[in-house]
């Protein structure tokens, strides 16, 4: 039986919501009827370029109304869109364009120069289309398109992993995966509804942002606010106050920056009813501070590029800050110890594995990494977790970030969470470093709040602060003060850069 994800997401809204706003970006808005037409024009435009079914195109555009139209237009035509991070370097783009063998890349004007340089090293790339040229192509294309006869298990789109542990991998998803994330998480857990206005600081090229700003709102007919610029506190506050979204999706790093900003709006200036966080574990103090300031909860959860969206989450009214919540119904999770056994006892750390209907089918052209991650019905997350007697899961760091100090596992995240409770600390990241005896001990990289002085006295105070919060052996033996932490565009700390 034929199934096309773009047809499902768009056409479910046309009968009763055609005149309703689907998207509002920085310069224009688009109703559901206009979205449907632009999707069809995009499908026809891609076919006019000679791109055939199952071939790839790359999208490296900032978040505007053109992004969902092009992404869904490709899917409707049976062409496979590859979402590219808009904050990468020329070598990164060359790698991903060659790896995906994209026939065309669609680029926002500020990115034109880097892609023009990269083009010479991408032999499969036939078309480099700037966003303004895309608009011209859409205007010339027919407003109605025939959907490709795809099926639920056909390859639909790719996302590149964000590279928090090294080189990104082309993660291949199916047509059935998009709507499944809405059916399992967005409606029953997040509680998104037609009346919502949603705003995601996480961009559309990121799996988290793709669900937040495309799949979830389209699944219920909500309205989405898009923002092309980077999510600085001022930019986010502007949208929260002017557009008055009811759902806001952020990452822990951003929530921290928002909370220390002097521009934080008054509660009566915003209309939020619920917020979410993913990408990294949300420190409990950030969640508590946000709720005190706004009156709304942050539903911290964990998802991944491989699983497409959130599979463990806190629930409205049942939030326990400091935990990631409980498994989303429709997904199974398990923890595996170092010997490959399933952990059944609360409080023990193990590697988190997930089984569910949205797992990617493979990493493109990386057979060994595919076999290591996708093992039968189970997908290895690479994250360490524990659960308590009530079934709440707590993050314990990446499997490759875990430290063994004196033969005992130490979670970098636990040390980071202790550090950020100190009044002088804005952000912290902890990695393993060797002492003079070549034994691994925690080392902290700390970003201070404005006006704080980095000196030996503060170093000693922070070390003592951690000793008071945690078992003494977990304190950071070294503290290095830096102006900012290296992160992916989606806000994940790149600890592998700190280790080197």
């Amino acid at each position: 039986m034929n199934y096309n994800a773009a047809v499902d997401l768009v056409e479910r809204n046309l009968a009763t919501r055609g005149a309703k706003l689907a998207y509002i970006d920085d310069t224009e808005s688009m109703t559901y009827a206009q979205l449907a037409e632009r999707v069809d024009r995009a499908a026809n435009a891609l076919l006019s370029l000679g791109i055939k079914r199952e071939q790839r195109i790359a999208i490296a555009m900032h978040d505007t109304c053109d992004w969902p139209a092009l992404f869904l237009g490709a899917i409707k035509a049976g062409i496979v869109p590859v979402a590219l991070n808009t904050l990468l370097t020329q070598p990164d783009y060359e790698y991903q364009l060659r790896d995906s063998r994209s026939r065309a890349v669609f680029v926002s004007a500020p990115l034109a120069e880097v892609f023009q340089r990269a083009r010479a090293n991408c032999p499969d790339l036939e078309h480099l289309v700037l966003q303004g040229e895309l608009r011209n192509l859409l205007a010339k294309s027919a407003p109605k398109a025939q959907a490709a006869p795809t099926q639920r298990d056909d390859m639909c789109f790719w996302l590149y992993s964000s590279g928090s542990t090294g080189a990104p991998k082309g993660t291949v998803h199916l047509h059935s995966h998009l709507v499944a994330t809405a059916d399992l998480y967005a409606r029953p857990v997040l509680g998104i509804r037609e009346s919502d206005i949603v705003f995601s600081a996480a961009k559309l090229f990121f799996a988290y942002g793709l669900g937040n700003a495309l799949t979830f709102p389209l699944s219920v007919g909500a309205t989405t606010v898009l923002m092309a610029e980077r999510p600085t506190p001022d930019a986010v506050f502007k949208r929260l106050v002017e557009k008055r979204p009811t759902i806001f999706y952020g990452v822990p790093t951003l929530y921290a920056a928002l909370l220390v900003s002097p521009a934080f709006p008054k509660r009566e200036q915003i209309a939020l009813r619920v917020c979410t966080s993913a990408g990294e574990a949300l420190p409990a103090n950030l969640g508590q501070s946000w709720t005190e300031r706004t009156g709304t909860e942050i539903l911290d959860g964990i998802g991944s590029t491989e699983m497409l969206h959130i599979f463990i989450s806190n629930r409205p009214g049942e939030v326990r800050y400091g935990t990631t919540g409980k498994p989303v119904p429709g997904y199974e999770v398990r923890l595996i110890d170092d010997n490959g056994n399933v952990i059944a006892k609360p409080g023990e750390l193990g590697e988190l594995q997930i089984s569910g209907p949205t797992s990617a089918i493979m990493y493109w052209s990386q057979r060994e990494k595919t076999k290591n991650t996708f093992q039968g019905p189970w997908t290895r997350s690479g994250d360490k977790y524990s659960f308590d007697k009530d079934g709440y899961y707590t993050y314990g760091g990446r499997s490759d970030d875990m430290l063994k100090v004196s033969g005992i596992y130490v979670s970098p995240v636990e040390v980071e969470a202790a550090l950020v409770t100190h009044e002088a600390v804005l952000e912290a990241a902890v990695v393993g470093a060797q002492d003079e005896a070549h034994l691994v001990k925690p080392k902290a990289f700390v970003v201070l709040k404005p006006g704080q002085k980095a000196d030996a006295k503060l170093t000693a105070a922070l070390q003592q602060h951690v000793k008071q919060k945690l078992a003494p052996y977990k304190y950071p033996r070294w503290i290095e003060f830096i102006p900012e932490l290296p992160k992916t565009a989606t806000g994940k700390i790149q600890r592998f850069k700190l280790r080197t």
Side-chain angles (χ1 to χ4, degrees):
M1 182 176 176
N2 289 347
Y3 175 83
N4 185 287
V7 171
D8 186 0
L9 285 169
V10 174
E11 294 189 1
R12 65 172 60 194
N13 296 294
L14 291 182
T16 58
R17 306 185 187 107
K20 186 185 179 187
L21 284 180
Y23 284 98
I24 304 168
D25 70 15
D26 299 335
T27 61
E28 67 171 331
S29 60
M30 183 167 62
T31 66
Y32 273 98
Q34 290 168 333
L35 171 64
E37 179 179 322
R38 200 177 294 191
V39 166
D40 280 5
R41 288 182 182 274
N44 289 327
L46 292 171
L47 295 171
S48 75
L49 294 177
I51 300 169
K52 295 179 173 57
R53 183 175 170 184
E54 298 184 359
Q55 292 182 329
R56 270 80 66 195
I57 65 156
I59 303 174
M61 300 193 307
H62 296 137
D63 285 14
T64 69
C65 290
D66 288 332
W67 204 106
L70 180 58
F71 182 83
L72 293 167
I75 291 171
K76 186 165 186 176
I79 293 163
V80 179
V82 180
L84 300 186
N85 181 333
T86 57
L87 297 171
L88 299 181
T89 64
Q90 181 180 332
D92 293 324
Y93 290 130
E94 289 178 2
Y95 167 76
Q96 293 181 15
L97 290 171
R98 287 197 305 266
D99 185 62
S100 64
R101 302 170 198 159
S102 292
R103 294 280 308 284
V105 60
F106 295 82
V107 178
S108 292
L111 301 173
E113 185 178 345
V114 68
F115 276 94
Q116 285 164 350
R117 294 197 304 267
R119 185 177 189 177
N121 296 317
C122 303
D124 294 296
L125 187 64
E126 297 178 2
H127 306 280
L128 195 165
V129 183
L130 299 186
Q131 195 166 349
E133 297 168 346
L134 170 62
R135 285 295 187 95
N136 293 334
L137 272 175
L138 297 179
K140 295 175 184 175
S141 299
K144 290 290 184 182
Q146 182 72 33
T150 53
Q151 298 183 20
R152 298 182 67 85
D153 287 345
D154 277 353
M155 180 166 62
C156 184
F157 64 98
W158 296 14
L159 300 170
Y160 273 88
S161 64
S162 58
S164 60
T165 57
K169 300 174 287 291
T171 309
V172 180
H173 281 283
L174 305 178
H175 275 260
S176 60
H177 291 177
L178 285 169
V179 172
T181 61
D183 291 342
L184 296 176
Y185 169 78
R187 290 202 296 276
V189 176
L190 175 61
I192 192 171
R193 52 200 184 213
E194 182 181 358
S195 59
D196 279 314
I197 299 171
V198 307
F199 172 46
S200 177
K203 299 300 186 180
L204 283 161
F205 64 75
F206 180 30
Y208 181 44
L210 182 65
N212 298 344
L214 188 145
T215 313
F216 297 172
L218 294 187
S219 74
V220 297
T223 298
T224 302
V225 175
L226 296 177
M227 180 176 74
E229 64 186 294
R230 294 191 68 172
T232 63
D234 286 346
V236 170
F237 292 148
K238 177 179 172 67
R239 274 74 182 181
L240 293 181
V241 171
E242 293 182 1
K243 307 301 183 184
R244 296 184 66 80
T246 53
I247 298 178
F248 173 64
Y249 311 90
V251 297
T253 299
L254 178 59
Y255 283 113
L258 296 176
L259 284 165
V260 300
S261 171
F264 201 101
K266 296 178 181 177
R267 189 180 292 194
E268 60 268 22
Q269 292 179 281
I270 59 179
L272 294 174
R273 69 176 185 85
V274 66
C275 302
T276 72
S277 179
E280 290 208 298
L282 179 75
N285 65 309
L286 288 184
Q288 292 158 356
S289 296
W290 183 265
T291 298
E292 290 168 5
R293 295 283 289 273
T294 68
T296 61
E297 296 176 315
I298 299 176
L299 307 182
D300 189 28
I302 180 176
S304 67
T305 306
E306 290 77 8
M307 295 303 297
L308 190 54
H309 216 276
I310 288 172
F311 48 81
I312 298 177
S313 179
N314 278 276
R315 311 292 202 277
E318 302 176 13
V319 169
R320 290 192 188 179
Y321 286 128
T323 79
T324 310
K326 298 180 179 180
V328 171
Y331 294 94
E332 293 181 59
V333 303
R334 67 183 186 184
L335 302 182
I336 303 297
D337 67 17
D338 290 345
N339 298 316
N341 301 312
V342 176
I343 292 173
K345 184 178 178 182
E348 293 186 6
L349 273 178
E351 183 193 59
L352 178 68
Q353 298 186 356
I354 316 98
S355 177
T358 60
S359 175
I361 60 170
M362 64 175 168
Y363 298 130
W364 178 258
S365 196
Q366 297 201 41
R367 178 63 177 152
E368 288 305 312
K369 289 183 178 178
T370 294
K371 289 193 296 183
N372 188 54
T373 298
F374 305 103
Q375 300 184 344
W378 296 98
T379 298
R380 299 178 62 186
S381 69
D383 293 305
K384 291 282 189 179
Y385 262 84
S386 63
F387 61 86
D388 65 18
K389 61 182 177 60
D390 297 321
Y392 282 80
Y393 282 71
T394 298
Y395 182 59
R398 291 287 300 173
S399 295
D400 50 7
D401 288 332
M402 291 295 292
L403 313 177
K404 264 197 172 179
V405 178
S406 302
I408 305 171
Y409 271 122
V410 173
S411 164
V413 174
E414 186 180 24
V415 183
E416 292 161 5
L419 282 165
V420 298
T421 62
H422 192 280
E423 61 183 6
V425 176
L426 177 62
E427 293 182 295
V430 173
V431 299
Q434 290 187 344
D435 62 14
E436 62 277 4
H438 302 291
L439 297 174
V440 172
K441 299 290 188 295
K443 177 178 180 178
F445 293 83
V446 170
V447 179
L448 296 175
K449 292 178 180 176
Q452 298 294 330
K453 182 181 178 182
D455 55 22
K457 183 177 179 181
L458 181 56
T459 297
L462 292 178
Q463 290 172 322
Q464 184 61 31
H465 180 76
V466 174
K467 288 180 182 179
Q468 292 172 347
K469 293 277 185 181
L470 305 175
Y473 68 86
K474 297 182 179 182
Y475 86 95
R477 299 336 188 245
W478 310 272
I479 295 179
E480 185 173 332
F481 299 101
I482 57 176
E484 62 180 5
L485 297 176
K487 296 170 187 165
T488 70
T490 55
K492 290 184 181 180
I493 296 170
Q494 293 175 306
R495 290 183 181 83
F496 74 97
K497 289 188 175 179
L498 295 174
R499 285 194 290 268
T500 58

